[in-house]
PDB file of all heavy atoms in Angstrom:
ATOM      1  N   LYS A 122       3.169  -8.278   6.522  1.00  0.00           N
ATOM      2  CA  LYS A 122       3.005  -6.976   5.923  1.00  0.00           C
ATOM      3  C   LYS A 122       3.528  -6.923   4.495  1.00  0.00           C
ATOM      4  O   LYS A 122       4.357  -7.719   4.081  1.00  0.00           O
ATOM      5  CB  LYS A 122       3.711  -5.914   6.755  1.00  0.00           C
ATOM      6  CG  LYS A 122       5.192  -6.175   7.008  1.00  0.00           C
ATOM      7  CD  LYS A 122       5.761  -5.098   7.896  1.00  0.00           C
ATOM      8  CE  LYS A 122       7.195  -5.406   8.303  1.00  0.00           C
ATOM      9  NZ  LYS A 122       7.235  -6.491   9.328  1.00  0.00           N
ATOM     10  N   LEU A 123       3.004  -5.960   3.762  1.00  0.00           N
ATOM     11  CA  LEU A 123       3.482  -5.673   2.420  1.00  0.00           C
ATOM     12  C   LEU A 123       4.685  -4.749   2.481  1.00  0.00           C
ATOM     13  O   LEU A 123       4.699  -3.792   3.240  1.00  0.00           O
ATOM     14  CB  LEU A 123       2.389  -4.992   1.610  1.00  0.00           C
ATOM     15  CG  LEU A 123       1.179  -5.812   1.168  1.00  0.00           C
ATOM     16  CD1 LEU A 123       0.139  -4.888   0.558  1.00  0.00           C
ATOM     17  CD2 LEU A 123       1.593  -6.882   0.182  1.00  0.00           C
ATOM     18  N   PHE A 124       5.655  -5.036   1.629  1.00  0.00           N
ATOM     19  CA  PHE A 124       6.800  -4.146   1.432  1.00  0.00           C
ATOM     20  C   PHE A 124       6.619  -3.480   0.078  1.00  0.00           C
ATOM     21  O   PHE A 124       6.327  -4.151  -0.907  1.00  0.00           O
ATOM     22  CB  PHE A 124       8.111  -4.933   1.443  1.00  0.00           C
ATOM     23  CG  PHE A 124       8.459  -5.513   2.776  1.00  0.00           C
ATOM     24  CD1 PHE A 124       7.917  -6.716   3.188  1.00  0.00           C
ATOM     25  CD2 PHE A 124       9.353  -4.864   3.621  1.00  0.00           C
ATOM     26  CE1 PHE A 124       8.239  -7.265   4.426  1.00  0.00           C
ATOM     27  CE2 PHE A 124       9.686  -5.402   4.854  1.00  0.00           C
ATOM     28  CZ  PHE A 124       9.128  -6.606   5.257  1.00  0.00           C
ATOM     29  N   PHE A 125       6.824  -2.171   0.023  1.00  0.00           N
ATOM     30  CA  PHE A 125       6.585  -1.420  -1.196  1.00  0.00           C
ATOM     31  C   PHE A 125       7.880  -0.930  -1.834  1.00  0.00           C
ATOM     32  O   PHE A 125       8.864  -0.647  -1.139  1.00  0.00           O
ATOM     33  CB  PHE A 125       5.703  -0.202  -0.919  1.00  0.00           C
ATOM     34  CG  PHE A 125       4.260  -0.529  -0.719  1.00  0.00           C
ATOM     35  CD1 PHE A 125       3.775  -0.815   0.543  1.00  0.00           C
ATOM     36  CD2 PHE A 125       3.384  -0.558  -1.793  1.00  0.00           C
ATOM     37  CE1 PHE A 125       2.432  -1.122   0.739  1.00  0.00           C
ATOM     38  CE2 PHE A 125       2.045  -0.863  -1.614  1.00  0.00           C
ATOM     39  CZ  PHE A 125       1.566  -1.149  -0.347  1.00  0.00           C
TER      40      PHE A 125
ATOM     41  N   TYR B  57      -6.060  -8.297  10.684  1.00  0.00           N
ATOM     42  CA  TYR B  57      -4.696  -7.775  10.674  1.00  0.00           C
ATOM     43  C   TYR B  57      -4.736  -6.389  10.066  1.00  0.00           C
ATOM     44  O   TYR B  57      -5.335  -6.194   9.001  1.00  0.00           O
ATOM     45  CB  TYR B  57      -3.797  -8.709   9.864  1.00  0.00           C
ATOM     46  CG  TYR B  57      -2.356  -8.277   9.746  1.00  0.00           C
ATOM     47  CD1 TYR B  57      -1.597  -7.987  10.874  1.00  0.00           C
ATOM     48  CD2 TYR B  57      -1.744  -8.182   8.498  1.00  0.00           C
ATOM     49  CE1 TYR B  57      -0.272  -7.603  10.758  1.00  0.00           C
ATOM     50  CE2 TYR B  57      -0.419  -7.802   8.378  1.00  0.00           C
ATOM     51  CZ  TYR B  57       0.311  -7.513   9.510  1.00  0.00           C
ATOM     52  OH  TYR B  57       1.631  -7.146   9.409  1.00  0.00           O
ATOM     53  N   PHE B  58      -4.082  -5.444  10.740  1.00  0.00           N
ATOM     54  CA  PHE B  58      -4.138  -4.054  10.323  1.00  0.00           C
ATOM     55  C   PHE B  58      -2.739  -3.450  10.334  1.00  0.00           C
ATOM     56  O   PHE B  58      -1.920  -3.784  11.196  1.00  0.00           O
ATOM     57  CB  PHE B  58      -5.041  -3.254  11.280  1.00  0.00           C
ATOM     58  CG  PHE B  58      -6.420  -3.826  11.407  1.00  0.00           C
ATOM     59  CD1 PHE B  58      -6.679  -4.813  12.343  1.00  0.00           C
ATOM     60  CD2 PHE B  58      -7.452  -3.384  10.582  1.00  0.00           C
ATOM     61  CE1 PHE B  58      -7.945  -5.365  12.465  1.00  0.00           C
ATOM     62  CE2 PHE B  58      -8.717  -3.929  10.702  1.00  0.00           C
ATOM     63  CZ  PHE B  58      -8.970  -4.923  11.638  1.00  0.00           C
ATOM     64  N   ILE B  59      -2.520  -2.580   9.363  1.00  0.00           N
ATOM     65  CA  ILE B  59      -1.211  -1.949   9.242  1.00  0.00           C
ATOM     66  C   ILE B  59      -1.396  -0.453   9.039  1.00  0.00           C
ATOM     67  O   ILE B  59      -2.333  -0.013   8.361  1.00  0.00           O
ATOM     68  CB  ILE B  59      -0.421  -2.498   8.030  1.00  0.00           C
ATOM     69  CG1 ILE B  59      -0.290  -4.016   8.084  1.00  0.00           C
ATOM     70  CG2 ILE B  59       0.965  -1.858   7.963  1.00  0.00           C
ATOM     71  CD1 ILE B  59       0.415  -4.583   6.855  1.00  0.00           C
ATOM     72  N   TRP B  60      -0.490   0.315   9.579  1.00  0.00           N
ATOM     73  CA  TRP B  60      -0.375   1.738   9.264  1.00  0.00           C
ATOM     74  C   TRP B  60       0.887   1.951   8.428  1.00  0.00           C
ATOM     75  O   TRP B  60       1.961   1.456   8.754  1.00  0.00           O
ATOM     76  CB  TRP B  60      -0.285   2.573  10.540  1.00  0.00           C
ATOM     77  CG  TRP B  60      -1.599   2.825  11.197  1.00  0.00           C
ATOM     78  CD1 TRP B  60      -2.109   2.197  12.291  1.00  0.00           C
ATOM     79  CD2 TRP B  60      -2.580   3.794  10.796  1.00  0.00           C
ATOM     80  NE1 TRP B  60      -3.342   2.707  12.606  1.00  0.00           N
ATOM     81  CE2 TRP B  60      -3.667   3.687  11.707  1.00  0.00           C
ATOM     82  CE3 TRP B  60      -2.663   4.748   9.775  1.00  0.00           C
ATOM     83  CZ2 TRP B  60      -4.797   4.493  11.622  1.00  0.00           C
ATOM     84  CZ3 TRP B  60      -3.792   5.535   9.685  1.00  0.00           C
ATOM     85  CH2 TRP B  60      -4.838   5.411  10.600  1.00  0.00           C
ATOM     86  N   TYR B  61       0.685   2.710   7.340  1.00  0.00           N
ATOM     87  CA  TYR B  61       1.797   3.075   6.472  1.00  0.00           C
ATOM     88  C   TYR B  61       1.940   4.589   6.439  1.00  0.00           C
ATOM     89  O   TYR B  61       0.948   5.319   6.532  1.00  0.00           O
ATOM     90  CB  TYR B  61       1.566   2.593   5.040  1.00  0.00           C
ATOM     91  CG  TYR B  61       1.768   1.117   4.822  1.00  0.00           C
ATOM     92  CD1 TYR B  61       0.695   0.240   4.843  1.00  0.00           C
ATOM     93  CD2 TYR B  61       3.037   0.596   4.575  1.00  0.00           C
ATOM     94  CE1 TYR B  61       0.874  -1.122   4.634  1.00  0.00           C
ATOM     95  CE2 TYR B  61       3.221  -0.762   4.360  1.00  0.00           C
ATOM     96  CZ  TYR B  61       2.141  -1.614   4.392  1.00  0.00           C
ATOM     97  OH  TYR B  61       2.324  -2.958   4.185  1.00  0.00           O
ATOM     98  N   LYS B  62       3.173   5.039   6.228  1.00  0.00           N
ATOM     99  CA  LYS B  62       3.480   6.453   6.031  1.00  0.00           C
ATOM    100  C   LYS B  62       3.990   6.622   4.613  1.00  0.00           C
ATOM    101  O   LYS B  62       4.859   5.864   4.164  1.00  0.00           O
ATOM    102  CB  LYS B  62       4.565   6.884   7.022  1.00  0.00           C
ATOM    103  CG  LYS B  62       5.124   8.283   6.808  1.00  0.00           C
ATOM    104  CD  LYS B  62       6.302   8.547   7.741  1.00  0.00           C
ATOM    105  CE  LYS B  62       6.884   9.931   7.537  1.00  0.00           C
ATOM    106  NZ  LYS B  62       8.075  10.166   8.400  1.00  0.00           N
ATOM    107  N   PRO B  69       4.914   3.739   0.126  1.00  0.00           N
ATOM    108  CA  PRO B  69       4.528   3.660   1.538  1.00  0.00           C
ATOM    109  C   PRO B  69       5.570   2.912   2.370  1.00  0.00           C
ATOM    110  O   PRO B  69       6.136   1.914   1.924  1.00  0.00           O
ATOM    111  CB  PRO B  69       3.208   2.890   1.500  1.00  0.00           C
ATOM    112  CG  PRO B  69       2.683   3.084   0.115  1.00  0.00           C
ATOM    113  CD  PRO B  69       3.904   3.132  -0.756  1.00  0.00           C
ATOM    114  N   GLN B  70       5.777   3.420   3.578  1.00  0.00           N
ATOM    115  CA  GLN B  70       6.690   2.775   4.523  1.00  0.00           C
ATOM    116  C   GLN B  70       5.897   2.218   5.686  1.00  0.00           C
ATOM    117  O   GLN B  70       5.014   2.887   6.225  1.00  0.00           O
ATOM    118  CB  GLN B  70       7.696   3.792   5.075  1.00  0.00           C
ATOM    119  CG  GLN B  70       8.631   4.396   4.065  1.00  0.00           C
ATOM    120  CD  GLN B  70       9.461   5.483   4.737  1.00  0.00           C
ATOM    121  OE1 GLN B  70       8.994   6.593   4.970  1.00  0.00           O
ATOM    122  NE2 GLN B  70      10.688   5.149   5.068  1.00  0.00           N
ATOM    123  N   PHE B  71       6.220   1.012   6.085  1.00  0.00           N
ATOM    124  CA  PHE B  71       5.563   0.384   7.229  1.00  0.00           C
ATOM    125  C   PHE B  71       5.865   1.161   8.507  1.00  0.00           C
ATOM    126  O   PHE B  71       7.007   1.549   8.764  1.00  0.00           O
ATOM    127  CB  PHE B  71       6.066  -1.051   7.353  1.00  0.00           C
ATOM    128  CG  PHE B  71       5.664  -1.741   8.620  1.00  0.00           C
ATOM    129  CD1 PHE B  71       4.433  -2.369   8.695  1.00  0.00           C
ATOM    130  CD2 PHE B  71       6.507  -1.768   9.727  1.00  0.00           C
ATOM    131  CE1 PHE B  71       4.057  -3.018   9.861  1.00  0.00           C
ATOM    132  CE2 PHE B  71       6.131  -2.416  10.888  1.00  0.00           C
ATOM    133  CZ  PHE B  71       4.899  -3.039  10.959  1.00  0.00           C
ATOM    134  N   ILE B  72       4.819   1.398   9.298  1.00  0.00           N
ATOM    135  CA  ILE B  72       5.010   2.051  10.594  1.00  0.00           C
ATOM    136  C   ILE B  72       4.813   1.058  11.720  1.00  0.00           C
ATOM    137  O   ILE B  72       5.690   0.826  12.541  1.00  0.00           O
ATOM    138  CB  ILE B  72       4.031   3.218  10.790  1.00  0.00           C
ATOM    139  CG1 ILE B  72       4.200   4.266   9.695  1.00  0.00           C
ATOM    140  CG2 ILE B  72       4.235   3.852  12.168  1.00  0.00           C
ATOM    141  CD1 ILE B  72       3.144   5.362   9.778  1.00  0.00           C
ATOM    142  N   ILE B  73       3.614   0.466  11.759  1.00  0.00           N
ATOM    143  CA  ILE B  73       3.274  -0.441  12.843  1.00  0.00           C
ATOM    144  C   ILE B  73       2.091  -1.284  12.412  1.00  0.00           C
ATOM    145  O   ILE B  73       1.298  -0.872  11.566  1.00  0.00           O
ATOM    146  CB  ILE B  73       2.947   0.365  14.138  1.00  0.00           C
ATOM    147  CG1 ILE B  73       2.895  -0.556  15.356  1.00  0.00           C
ATOM    148  CG2 ILE B  73       1.666   1.165  13.983  1.00  0.00           C
ATOM    149  CD1 ILE B  73       2.872   0.196  16.683  1.00  0.00           C
ATOM    150  N   ASP B  74       1.983  -2.463  12.973  1.00  0.00           N
ATOM    151  CA  ASP B  74       0.846  -3.329  12.673  1.00  0.00           C
ATOM    152  C   ASP B  74       0.237  -3.853  13.967  1.00  0.00           C
ATOM    153  O   ASP B  74       0.822  -3.736  15.041  1.00  0.00           O
ATOM    154  CB  ASP B  74       1.258  -4.484  11.749  1.00  0.00           C
ATOM    155  CG  ASP B  74       2.387  -5.355  12.316  1.00  0.00           C
ATOM    156  OD1 ASP B  74       2.869  -5.077  13.450  1.00  0.00           O
ATOM    157  OD2 ASP B  74       2.801  -6.298  11.631  1.00  0.00           O
ATOM    158  N   ARG B  82      -0.910  -1.572  20.610  1.00  0.00           N
ATOM    159  CA  ARG B  82       0.471  -1.950  20.357  1.00  0.00           C
ATOM    160  C   ARG B  82       1.296  -0.683  20.259  1.00  0.00           C
ATOM    161  O   ARG B  82       0.876   0.283  19.629  1.00  0.00           O
ATOM    162  CB  ARG B  82       0.597  -2.777  19.081  1.00  0.00           C
ATOM    163  CG  ARG B  82       1.952  -3.426  18.948  1.00  0.00           C
ATOM    164  CD  ARG B  82       2.015  -4.408  17.814  1.00  0.00           C
ATOM    165  NE  ARG B  82       3.289  -5.119  17.835  1.00  0.00           N
ATOM    166  CZ  ARG B  82       3.876  -5.623  16.774  1.00  0.00           C
ATOM    167  NH1 ARG B  82       3.308  -5.513  15.582  1.00  0.00           N
ATOM    168  NH2 ARG B  82       5.033  -6.246  16.876  1.00  0.00           N
TER     169      ARG B  82
END
Side-chain angles (χ1 to χ4, degrees):
Chain A
K122 55 183 173 286
L123 289 172
F124 292 83
F125 284 90
Chain B
Y57 179 54
F58 304 87
I59 305 177
W60 280 102
Y61 284 96
K62 172 187 180 183
Q70 296 174 282
F71 170 85
I72 301 174
I73 193 168
D74 58 0
R82 192 171 187 208

